[in-house]
């Protein structure tokens, strides 16, 4: 099975707060949505929605992951590596 023909390279996702207070994630091009109480869980539910809608087999799901464009822009490998280095040296000093 080749998923390149089945999955689009980009999927529009709208996230908004519903009247009842839950957060709704919608894929407007496909007329499907999911809802969640906490924004901490929203990425997982968006991925589940994509997996189910596009019928992604379980063995491919670890290789396919939704990530917002804004989050991609914010990730800077150089600062990420510096952060890891800082944490590891601090952790050693704190636990002595």
């Amino acid at each position: 099975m080749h998923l390149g023909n089945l999955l689009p390279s980009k999927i529009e996702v709208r996230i908004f707060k519903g009247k009842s207070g839950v957060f709704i994630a919608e894929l407007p091009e496909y007329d499907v949505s999911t809802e969640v109480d906490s924004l901490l869980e929203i990425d997982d539910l968006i991925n589940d929605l994509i997996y189910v809608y596009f019928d992604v087999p379980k063995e491919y799901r670890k290789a396919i992951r939704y990530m917002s464009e804004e989050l991609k822009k914010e990730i800077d490998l150089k600062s990420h590596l510096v952060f890891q280095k800082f944490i590891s040296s601090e952790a050693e000093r704190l636990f002595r």
Side-chain angles (χ1 to χ4, degrees), residues 15-25 37:
I15 300 171
F16 55 95
K17 199 165 193 175
K19 291 179 183 178
S20 66
V22 298
F23 293 95
I24 299 170
D37 293 324

Side-chain angles (χ1 to χ4, degrees), residues 70-88:
E70 289 81 21
L71 184 58
K72 284 182 187 177
K73 290 175 189 173
E74 290 178 15
I75 295 174
D76 174 9
L77 186 57
K78 199 177 269 187
S79 65
H80 180 68
L81 293 175
V82 170
F83 179 73
Q84 285 182 333
K85 184 178 178 183
F86 172 76
I87 291 296
S88 63

Side-chain angles (χ1 to χ4, degrees), residues 26-37:
E26 174 184 65
L27 310 182
E29 297 171 67
Y30 305 100
D31 196 29
V32 294
S33 63
T34 187
E35 57 184 57
V36 63
D37 293 324

Side-chain angles (χ1 to χ4, degrees), residues 18-54:
K19 291 179 183 178
S20 66
V22 298
F23 293 95
I24 299 170
E26 174 184 65
L27 310 182
E29 297 171 67
Y30 305 100
D31 196 29
V32 294
S33 63
T34 187
E35 57 184 57
V36 63
D37 293 324
S38 167
L39 284 175
L40 295 174
E41 302 171 70
I42 200 134
D43 285 347
D44 289 333
L45 284 175
I46 291 170
N47 281 293
D48 287 342
L49 183 62
I50 291 169
Y51 300 151
V52 170
Y53 184 83
F54 290 99

